[in-house]
Amino acid sequence: MDKLLIEGGGKLNGTMRASGAKNSALPILASSLLLEGKLSLSNVPHLKDVTTMIEVLGSMGAEISLDDDMNFEIDTSNLNNHIARYELVKTMRASVLVLGPLLAKFGQAEVALPGGCAIGSRPVNLHLESMKKLGAEVVTEGGYIKAKAVNGLKGAEILFDTISVTGTENVLMAAVLAEGKTIIKNAAREPEVSDLIECLCQMGARISGAGTKELLIEGVHELNPTSFKIIPDRIETATYLTAVAMTGGNITIKDSRPDTMESVLDKLREAGAEITTESDSINLKMDSSLKSVDISTAPYPLFPTDMQAQFISLNTIAKGQAKVVETIFENRFMHVQELIRMGGDISLAGNTAIITGNSDALHSAPVMATDLRASASLVLAGLVAKGVTKIDRIYHIDRGYERIEEKLNALGAKIERVSG
Ligand code: UD1
């Protein structure tokens, strides 16, 4: 099993390019199931989760080709089944994103229940209830979601009592081919949801309200082939900016979208970083001492839960005491025990972490990655810790960060990937 060895201590300086957004690529890949013909995609990140979604689509008969620049072409003309198998779904919860498109296109879908997950129980009840509202019969049997809409899906009003990103995306993909109008109330406003909407509209779907809490979808009979470029990954960008806020230095991230990450940029400024932005690039300079920052996670446009772990790392070496509240997932503090092993002064009570910072707090230790963003927080800690930090189980990080050691080493980090 691969491990990362990180020698901490140096500043990071230089320019990098943001990768395409994982959380936009996954639903957009799933949306290819709705099409008659081919979907061409560029800026798809080279990640384990993307490979898994491609395997899910391939197992249904989709033909996928890829050129040297990672431009994908997905041809769904010869789909031959509507089943997302457990062996694939168990490795990635987001596989549930094929439920809506399969139901819309074929009137039936069988998708393995995703099961448990390192960051909480993460149920799929909202996905199932909304498919029922659209007229599907849904049962869970033998570990599978089995859904049928013999007479096709019908538009409906769907109110989410909890904001759900993939839940909103599943309903969007089901409703675009349903008969009549669908209204989604309390929809997720994440930029990745808006990116999916833009791609679906390019295929000929009729959706209004992107970026707001209420989405209106008017069903159409079919969607057409198109080419689409995935938006930049705001969480990847924010992770590297946080790394430089912690190590000190100067970084420019090109091909990024600062307008999609204002809550994080505000917090990095509060921590002492100097940040300037252009429409598609961000520069961060850090030459002052790091100040602690309180955060509370919430749906977009507020502070993302996918940056909570990285900000706990930041706070371990910042001046002052910080309070970090996790309001989205109930068990998303697995990184805390590992950061304590590296010297962090962190106490946990329910959904709140209290971190007392100290610029010399972190030292190397063997640690274990437990989920995707938790792993990122350990890499950031390793970059500033004294000595060589060994991070085990880094397959988690490869699910969501493209060539992380290559990108950070180009800025001056000393990270080595070793096997065994
Ligand atoms: C997506 C993102 C993930 C991010 C999360 C929150 C993708 C592929 N993943 O995950 O990176 O951390 O949004 O921003 O886009 N819930 C229910 N019932 C459901 C669905 C969700 O109770 O049927 C709850 C969840 O347990 C959680 C909350 O709703 O407490 C939000 O989860 P949700 O937005 O659905 O997360 P994902 O879409 O799985």
Side-chain angles (χ1 to χ4, degrees):
M1 216 180 283
D2 284 2
K3 298 174 179 49
L4 289 181
L5 298 179
I6 307 179
E7 190 181 330
K11 290 189 176 190
L12 298 179
N13 287 293
T15 298
M16 66 158 70
R17 205 197 133 255
S19 296
K22 167 180 89 72
N23 287 354
S24 174
L26 296 176
I28 288 176
L29 282 163
S31 77
S32 66
L33 294 169
L34 294 162
L35 268 182
E36 293 296 336
K38 291 177 183 169
L39 175 63
S40 306
L41 295 176
S42 57
N43 208 30
V44 178
H46 187 43
L47 297 171
K48 182 71 184 74
D49 276 7
V50 166
T51 314
T52 304
M53 183 57 88
I54 284 175
E55 281 177 53
V56 172
L57 299 176
S59 74
M60 293 167 181
E63 284 159 30
I64 294 123
S65 57
L66 180 65
D67 71 14
D68 292 346
D69 296 325
M70 287 292 285
N71 295 316
F72 280 78
E73 200 169 72
I74 305 130
D75 187 347
T76 44
S77 320
N78 296 315
L79 293 181
N80 51 32
N81 76 78
H82 55 270
I83 303 168
R85 294 196 320 265
Y86 179 63
E87 299 80 272
L88 294 170
V89 174
K90 73 175 181 194
T91 66
M92 184 183 70
R93 236 192 135 264
S95 311
V96 77
L97 282 165
V98 297
L99 178 64
L102 284 175
L103 257 179
K105 186 72 184 293
F106 302 106
Q108 52 183 336
E110 283 187 37
V111 180
L113 276 165
C117 156
I119 63 171
S121 61
R122 295 183 93 178
V124 288
N125 58 312
L126 300 172
H127 298 249
L128 306 191
E129 281 157 24
S130 34
M131 295 305 141
K132 284 183 194 163
K133 289 228 169 84
L134 291 170
E137 278 172 45
V138 185
V139 291
T140 53
E141 219 172 68
Y144 276 75
I145 303 163
K146 296 185 178 173
K148 257 195 195 144
V150 188
N151 300 315
L153 295 171
K154 307 259 182 310
E157 185 171 311
I158 290 164
L159 168 67
F160 279 103
D161 55 16
T162 303
I163 296 179
S164 168
V165 176
T166 49
T168 302
E169 292 165 345
N170 241 336
V171 175
L172 275 166
M173 292 189 280
V176 284
L177 292 181
E179 188 190 321
K181 283 184 191 171
T182 298
I183 298 176
I184 309 180
K185 293 191 166 168
N186 206 24
R189 291 186 282 163
E190 268 65 5
E192 295 76 20
V193 176
S194 302
D195 209 36
L196 170 66
I197 293 176
E198 204 179 319
C199 182
L200 290 169
C201 289
Q202 248 183 248
M203 294 176 189
R206 298 180 64 191
I207 305 167
S208 56
T212 74
K213 282 185 166 180
E214 190 164 308
L215 301 172
L216 172 67
I217 304 115
E218 292 177 71
V220 296
H221 290 298
E222 60 175 31
L223 297 177
N224 308 308
T226 194
S227 301
F228 192 78
K229 184 175 178 190
I230 305 290
I231 46 163
D233 195 314
R234 65 195 163 99
I235 303 298
E236 185 211 32
T237 301
T239 299
Y240 292 135
L241 293 175
T242 307
V244 181
M246 290 171 70
T247 61
N250 187 334
I251 184 179
T252 299
I253 306 191
K254 294 193 163 165
D255 296 338
S256 57
R257 280 277 303 273
D259 59 312
T260 63
M261 35 192 304
E262 282 170 10
S263 59
V264 176
L265 297 184
D266 283 350
K267 286 292 170 186
L268 289 170
R269 286 190 179 104
E270 197 182 317
E274 206 181 297
I275 297 175
T276 51
T277 61
E278 288 174 22
S279 62
D280 62 352
S281 85
I282 306 177
N283 174 264
L284 179 145
K285 276 193 204 107
M286 188 70 186
D287 47 23
S288 57
S289 69
L290 194 60
K291 296 190 275 287
S292 65
V293 280
D294 293 342
I295 60 164
S296 178
T297 64
Y300 189 83
L302 299 176
F303 194 91
T305 173
D306 286 348
M307 283 302 298
Q308 177 257 101
Q310 299 87 320
F311 266 69
I312 291 196
S313 271
L314 177 143
N315 277 313
T316 59
I317 57 156
K319 187 163 184 278
Q321 195 174 64
K323 182 170 153 187
V324 171
V325 184
E326 172 57 55
T327 74
I328 306 286
F329 293 114
E330 80 267 28
N331 185 24
R332 205 174 199 180
F333 280 131
M334 311 272 274
H335 42 286
V336 165
Q337 288 313 320
E338 301 302 296
L339 290 170
I340 291 173
R341 296 184 63 246
M342 292 179 72
D345 181 348
I346 311 168
S347 61
L348 274 183
N351 69 346
T352 303
I354 303 289
I355 308 111
T356 306
N358 168 358
S359 58
D360 289 328
L362 297 180
H363 50 73
S364 62
V367 287
M368 203 154 67
T370 49
D371 70 60
L372 170 54
R373 307 303 168 185
S375 340
S377 75
L378 299 178
V379 171
L380 302 197
L383 289 170
V384 292
K386 285 185 254 344
V388 177
T389 300
K390 180 159 106 184
I391 308 183
D392 207 345
R393 299 202 182 167
I394 56 154
Y395 53 84
H396 288 291
I397 210 162
D398 295 329
R399 288 188 40 219
Y401 290 88
E402 190 174 50
R403 299 178 288 110
I404 189 165
E405 69 272 30
E406 222 178 281
K407 283 192 168 193
L408 285 169
N409 285 345
L411 300 177
K414 291 179 186 149
I415 308 181
E416 193 188 345
R417 185 181 287 249
V418 293
S419 51

